[in-house]
Amino acid sequence: MPAYWISHVTVSDEEAYGRYARLATEAITKHGGRFLARGGRHIQMEGRDRPRNVVVEFPSLEAAEACYRSPEYQAALEHAREASERELVLVEGAAP
C-alpha cells in the first residue's frame, strides 16, 4: 500500500535549504519516492500556514520511514535543521 510523506516548511536560509533539497531529492528518489507536490500554490484552510508544502508518494510506509532514517537523508537534513522550521508526517494510504 502506498504511503505519503507530507511536509510543511518555512525556509529561513535559502542557500542552506537549497543544499538540503538537492541531497534530499537524491535520497528520496533512491528509496522509491515520487514527488506529487513540491512548493506550488496552496490555500491554507486551517492551522499554521507554511509557504512550502511537499507531498511525496512512496511504495510503502516502511519505504518512507527507511528513507527518513537513511544515512543519505540524515546528511541532507543537517542542512535543513538551522535553515527552516518544518513539520513532517508519514501517512499510509487508504486501501482501495
Side-chain angles (χ1 to χ4, degrees), residues 30-92:
K30 178 180 177 181
H31 286 85
R34 181 173 67 99
F35 287 90
L36 302 180
R38 193 172 194 183
R41 294 176 38 188
H42 73 282
I43 300 170
Q44 184 69 31
M45 302 302 287
E46 295 184 21
R48 183 171 181 185
D49 186 29
R50 299 259 187 211
R52 183 167 179 80
N53 299 281
V54 179
V55 180
V56 181
E57 182 179 57
F58 282 89
S60 67
L61 187 60
E62 293 76 15
E65 182 180 13
C67 177
Y68 183 85
R69 297 186 187 285
S70 72
E72 300 91 353
Y73 185 76
Q74 289 300 306
L77 195 53
E78 287 301 314
H79 297 283
R81 291 193 199 282
E82 298 298 319
S84 63
E85 290 182 36
R86 43 188 262 138
E87 289 85 35
L88 172 66
V89 63
L90 309 179
V91 180
E92 189 169 56

Side-chain angles (χ1 to χ4, degrees), residues 1-56:
M1 185 172 313
Y4 302 91
W5 167 308
I6 304 167
S7 60
H8 307 289
V9 185
T10 299
V11 176
S12 56
D13 181 337
E14 294 286 343
E15 185 178 325
Y17 199 81
R19 289 191 298 273
Y20 157 77
R22 285 188 296 280
L23 295 170
T25 297
E26 293 173 15
I28 288 167
T29 56
K30 178 180 177 181
H31 286 85
R34 181 173 67 99
F35 287 90
L36 302 180
R38 193 172 194 183
R41 294 176 38 188
H42 73 282
I43 300 170
Q44 184 69 31
M45 302 302 287
E46 295 184 21
R48 183 171 181 185
D49 186 29
R50 299 259 187 211
R52 183 167 179 80
N53 299 281
V54 179
V55 180
V56 181

